[in-house]
Amino acid sequence: NAGVTQTPKFQVLKTGQSMTLQCAQDMNHEYMSWYRQDPGMGLRLIHYSVGAGITDQGEVPNGYNVSRSTTEDFPLRLLSAAPSQTSVYFCASSYILGSEAFFGQGTRLTVV
Amino acid sequence: AQSVTQLGSHVSVSEGALVLLRCNYSSSVPPYLFWYVQYPNQGLQLLLKYTTGATLVKGINGFEAEFKKSETSFHLTKPSAHMSDAAEYFCAVITSGAGSYQLTFGKGTKLSVIP
C-alpha cells in the first residue's frame, strides 16, 4: 500500500519562484491537509479539504494555494516563494472525522 | 478554539525509567485527542487516540494515555523506556463544526533515552 505520497522529497527555490508540492493518497480518504513543520513550532495547518471541490484555510494560509479536483490529489502551490517559507511540509489524509491521520514522508523546502 | 500545550520541549530519561510526556488541551466540548510520534527524517505515526469511551487508552509500543476531563489533560506514559523510544512526540486535538475540520498539534516534546 502506497498510503500518502509526497513529491518531491527535497527542493531548493529562489525567492520569487513558484512551485507545486504534490500529494496523493490511495486510501479513498475524504479529508486531506497540509502542514508545515518548523523547529519549536510543531505542525501548523496551512490548508485542508473535506472532500473534492471543498477547501478551507488553516492557521497559516498566506502565500499558499490549494485545490482538490479529485479525491486522491491535493497539491499545494507556492505562489511566490519567500525565505520564510523554508520548512518541512507534510501532507496528511484521514478517512472520517476523528480517525487516524496518515502522513506522507514530507518535503524539505529551502528558499534562498 | 482548541489549543494544545505540551509541557517540556525536551525530556530525558534513563533506559528502563518511566516516560511521562505531558499534554493539556483547551476545549469547551469533549475533544478527540491523539498522540503521534515522529522519528528522525520521517513523517508522523499514530501512537494512540481517544474519541469516546474508556479514558485509559493503550497504544503501540507499550505507550498509554489517560484522558482526564477535570484536568483537561491527556498525558502519555510508558513504564519502561527503551532506546528505540527516542523520537519527537506530538499531542493533537481535533475539532469539527459548521463544516470545518482541523487537527491542531502541540509544539512537540523531544524524548531522549540515556543508556
Side-chain angles (χ1 to χ4, degrees):
Chain A
N1 291 334
V4 179
T5 302
Q6 290 184 237
T7 56
K9 287 186 170 51
F10 301 94
Q11 183 71 47
V12 179
L13 287 180
K14 294 182 178 179
T15 297
Q17 287 184 316
S18 63
M19 78 160 294
T20 299
L21 307 185
Q22 301 292 344
C23 176
Q25 51 93 7
D26 61 358
M27 297 173 282
N28 200 32
H29 287 172
E30 291 293 329
Y31 297 97
M32 297 187 73
S33 51
W34 277 101
Y35 293 86
R36 60 177 289 173
Q37 184 178 25
D38 302 291
M41 300 295 291
L43 280 82
R44 291 181 291 169
L45 182 64
I46 304 171
H47 286 284
Y48 66 97
S49 170
V50 298
I54 306 169
T55 64
D56 205 348
Q57 296 181 353
E59 180 184 357
V60 289
N62 292 341
Y64 308 94
N65 272 357
V66 292
S67 60
R68 183 96 179 270
S69 57
T70 67
T71 299
E72 294 77 20
D73 299 301
F74 191 44
L76 178 72
R77 298 182 186 86
L78 279 70
L79 308 174
S80 177
S84 61
Q85 294 178 304
T86 293
S87 187
V88 181
Y89 292 84
F90 287 99
C91 178
S93 73
S94 59
Y95 180 57
I96 58 172
L97 181 64
S99 65
E100 174 183 359
F102 291 83
F103 284 80
Q105 291 297 298
T107 296
R108 187 174 295 273
L109 176 68
T110 301
V111 182
V112 298
Chain B
Q2 297 276 349
S3 70
V4 180
T5 302
Q6 291 184 240
L7 297 178
S9 59
H10 195 177
V11 170
S12 292
V13 300
S14 298
E15 192 174 15
L18 171 72
V19 176
L20 171 60
L21 305 182
R22 300 178 187 273
C23 173
N24 289 88
Y25 67 92
S26 64
S27 172
S28 59
V29 296
Y32 291 171
L33 294 159
F34 302 79
W35 275 99
Y36 284 85
V37 60
Q38 184 182 33
Y39 298 102
N41 300 313
Q42 294 189 26
L44 278 71
Q45 176 184 0
L46 181 69
L47 271 180
L48 49 82
K49 67 177 181 181
Y50 169 80
T51 53
T52 59
T55 56
L56 182 62
V57 180
K58 295 187 184 299
I60 62 172
N61 300 338
F63 284 93
E64 62 183 36
E66 186 171 9
F67 169 60
K68 292 187 176 181
K69 184 178 179 180
S70 61
E71 299 177 6
T72 60
S73 68
F74 191 57
H75 301 331
L76 182 71
T77 60
K78 181 174 181 178
S80 177
H82 192 272
M83 295 299 294
S84 61
D85 295 326
E88 191 158 18
Y89 293 80
F90 294 92
C91 183
V93 61
I94 189 167
T95 58
S96 66
S100 71
Y101 158 82
Q102 295 202 14
L103 181 62
T104 302
F105 287 85
K107 294 187 177 181
T109 298
K110 187 164 289 186
L111 177 67
S112 298
V113 181
I114 304 166

